[in-house]
């Protein structure tokens, strides 16, 4: 046969050889990582709820999960968990969109102060932070208490950005809600976990690929201005969206959302050095795995899917010998691991109960 551009390509470039010809457990779409994570590297996480899975595994595998915003001294572990001190490296809750992430950085460094300051809970009038409305389950008794907690949170966010070694961020959504007065991005729609829905005050917005890329690159550049050596691992959440505000079927919206985020991730990795794409979304959704890796609700990922994606993470982003040790550590307490997985908090689930 005549030579052609595909003649000498390796097996992983061909679907028949890299997917059809392999058992599902052997499929690995990540060829190599541009950097390794050492045990002493401070690894911070943020993004959608799937990023919590990575955080849980880092905490139980002997690597340095960076908890930059710690609970007050004397608070019990149970109370700290209830008040979301270990959900991510800082107490920002789920960060679903890159616009929300960019504004978090701008707010933390004083570059943006939204005109929207607080919400009140309808049932008791207690104060709620509109930008992380479920972070304090009992809400705040006074506005001063909320402001003090917000400033403490911002200080922790700044410290995390300036001192972390590796940052893992998971793209989760494109649909968002914003305050019309100045475009301040909300975590959840008003009325879901505080506030009052008013179409004259708030608006729905759905981000495009270029906007997702623009906001994340702006965030990366802002972080690297204070921490030039940080390495970034970027992924797209395989967890399906819980609802859509677009006038179309949720399946259509979910496909659009994940396609936009996946395309944006590809552009981001090409645009900046030391940003690695972690293909958790790709592994979970490839046809041999999709039916095996989702829970009965067909939206969230089951323990087998989490195990497989995290094995891929440790295989490529850590030293091989240490990875084997980490895997053994993961198997020490199955019950504890199951409890940790059950604790994953997706703030958008409040939409169904609001």
């Amino acid at each position: 046969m005549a030579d052609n551009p595909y003649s000498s390509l390796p097996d992983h470039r061909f679907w028949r050889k890299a997917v059809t010809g392999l058992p599902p457990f052997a499929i690995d779409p990540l060829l190599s990582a541009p950097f390794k994570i050492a045990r002493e590297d401070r690894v911070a996480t943020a993004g959608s709820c799937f990023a919590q899975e990575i955080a849980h595994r880092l905490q139980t595998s002997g690597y340095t999960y960076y908890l930059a915003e710690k609970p007050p001294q004397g608070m019990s572990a149970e109370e700290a968990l209830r008040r979301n001190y270990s959900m991510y490296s800082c107490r920002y809750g789920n960060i679903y969109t890159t616009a929300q992430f960019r504004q978090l950085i701008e707010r933390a460094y004083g570059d943006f102060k939204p005109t929207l300051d607080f919400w009140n809970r309808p049932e008791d009038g207690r104060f709620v932070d509109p930008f992380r409305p479920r972070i304090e389950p009992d809400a705040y008794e006074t506005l001063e208490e909320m402001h003090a907690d917000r400033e403490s949170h911002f200080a922790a966010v700044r410290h995390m950005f300036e001192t972390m070694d590796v940052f893992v961020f998971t793209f989760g959504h494109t649909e968002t809600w914003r305050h019309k007065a100045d475009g301040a991005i909300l975590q959840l729609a008003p009325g879901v976990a505080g506030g009052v829905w008013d179409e004259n005050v708030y608006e729905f917005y759905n981000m495009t690929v270029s906007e997702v890329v623009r906001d994340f690159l702006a965030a990366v550049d802002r972080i690297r201005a204070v921490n030039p050596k940080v390495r970034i691992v970027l992924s797209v959440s395989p967890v399906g969206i819980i609802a859509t505000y677009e006038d179309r079927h949720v399946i259509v919206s979910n496909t659009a959302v994940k396609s936009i985020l996946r395309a944006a991730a590809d552009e981001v990795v090409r645009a900046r050095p030391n940003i690695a794409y972690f293909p958790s979304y790709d592994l979970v959704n490839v046809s041999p795995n999709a039916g095996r890796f989702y829970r009965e609700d067909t939206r969230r990922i089951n323990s087998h899917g989490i195990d497989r994606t995290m094995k891929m993470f440790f295989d490529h982003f850590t030293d091989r010998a240490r990875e084997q040790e980490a895997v053994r550590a993961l198997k020490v307490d199955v019950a504890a691991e199951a409890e940790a997985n059950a604790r994953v908090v997706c703030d958008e689930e409040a939409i169904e109960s609001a």
Side-chain angles (χ1 to χ4, degrees):
M1 296 180 64
D3 285 343
N4 66 71
Y6 296 92
S7 298
S8 58
L9 295 181
D11 287 356
H12 66 260
R13 304 280 190 94
F14 297 90
W15 190 274
R16 181 178 61 82
K17 296 176 181 178
V19 180
T20 308
L22 293 177
F25 69 83
I27 296 173
D28 185 348
L30 184 56
L31 302 180
S32 62
F35 52 79
K36 296 289 186 181
I37 300 172
R39 284 190 183 277
E40 61 272 15
D41 284 336
R42 290 163 293 192
V43 184
T45 61
S48 73
C49 50
F50 189 73
Q52 294 174 52
E53 304 287 4
I54 298 174
H56 287 156
R57 295 304 174 97
L58 285 168
Q59 291 179 79
T60 57
S61 64
Y63 286 79
T64 306
Y65 179 64
Y66 192 16
L67 193 60
E69 187 169 4
K70 297 180 180 179
Q73 190 171 7
M75 181 179 290
S76 69
E78 293 77 12
E79 180 66 6
L81 187 66
R82 188 182 77 88
R83 293 175 63 184
N84 300 296
Y85 274 97
S86 59
M87 187 191 303
Y88 292 104
S89 294
C90 286
R91 204 163 163 246
Y92 27 63
N94 294 128
I95 301 176
Y96 288 111
T97 66
T98 58
Q100 182 190 353
F101 181 49
R102 174 179 57 82
Q103 288 191 3
L104 169 65
I105 298 172
E106 292 172 347
R107 291 166 59 228
Y109 281 95
D111 301 324
F112 176 46
K113 185 174 183 179
T115 56
L116 178 64
D117 185 29
F118 65 90
W119 283 338
N120 292 109
R121 279 205 314 203
E123 62 268 31
D124 56 16
R126 290 174 71 91
F127 293 93
V128 174
D129 188 336
F131 303 101
R132 44 180 194 150
R134 301 180 72 216
I135 206 70
E136 188 61 60
D138 300 324
Y140 300 94
E141 184 176 359
T142 67
L143 191 57
E144 291 74 19
E145 181 186 358
M146 189 199 77
H147 285 156
D149 189 50
R150 179 186 288 167
E151 290 307 313
S152 175
H153 168 62
F154 284 162
V157 168
R158 292 192 299 269
H159 182 68
M160 180 192 76
F161 286 145
E162 292 164 13
T163 56
M164 63 188 179
D165 298 303
V166 179
F167 184 52
V168 180
F169 190 88
T170 301
F171 285 177
H173 222 313
T174 61
E175 294 188 15
T176 191
W177 294 87
R178 60 189 183 188
H179 192 224
K180 285 185 175 182
D182 54 11
I185 301 296
L186 305 173
Q187 182 196 61
L188 294 170
V192 171
V196 177
W197 164 237
D198 184 343
E199 63 181 5
N200 297 311
V201 178
Y202 305 101
E203 63 183 352
F204 169 77
Y205 190 74
N206 203 350
M207 300 180 70
T208 65
V209 173
S210 61
E211 289 168 330
V212 173
V213 172
R214 176 201 65 196
D215 287 341
F216 192 71
L217 289 181
V220 167
D221 292 344
R222 189 69 176 86
I223 292 170
R224 285 185 167 165
V226 297
N227 186 352
K229 296 182 179 180
V230 67
R231 293 158 285 160
I232 297 171
V233 179
L234 176 62
S235 67
V236 174
S237 172
V239 178
I241 64 174
I242 201 164
T244 181
Y245 195 71
E246 294 280 7
D247 185 19
R248 60 191 181 192
H249 198 285
V250 67
I251 291 176
V252 177
S253 277
N254 187 71
T255 301
V257 166
K258 300 303 179 181
S259 299
I260 290 168
L261 295 176
R262 182 61 188 89
D266 211 55
E267 289 195 29
V268 165
V269 171
R270 294 172 187 267
R272 294 290 187 277
N274 264 342
I275 300 182
Y277 177 66
F278 173 51
S280 54
Y281 175 81
D282 313 65
L283 178 68
V284 168
N285 282 279
V286 70
S287 48
N289 289 336
R292 303 164 57 245
F293 284 0
Y294 280 94
R295 297 188 192 182
E296 289 185 3
D297 64 5
T298 68
R299 190 182 75 86
R300 294 173 297 168
I301 313 304
N302 62 31
S303 59
H304 178 57
I306 297 299
D307 287 343
R308 184 64 190 86
T309 55
M310 290 312 302
K311 181 180 185 303
M312 179 172 62
F313 183 89
F314 283 109
D315 277 350
H316 293 283
F317 283 99
T318 68
D319 176 80
R320 185 66 182 171
R322 290 179 177 177
E323 185 273 333
Q324 293 297 331
E325 186 177 336
V327 169
R328 286 193 294 273
L330 286 173
K331 296 178 180 178
V332 169
D333 192 341
V334 176
E337 185 60 33
E339 183 180 354
N341 285 337
R343 169 61 189 163
V344 171
V345 177
C346 290
D347 289 299
E348 65 173 345
E349 290 179 356
I351 293 172
E352 290 189 324
S353 59

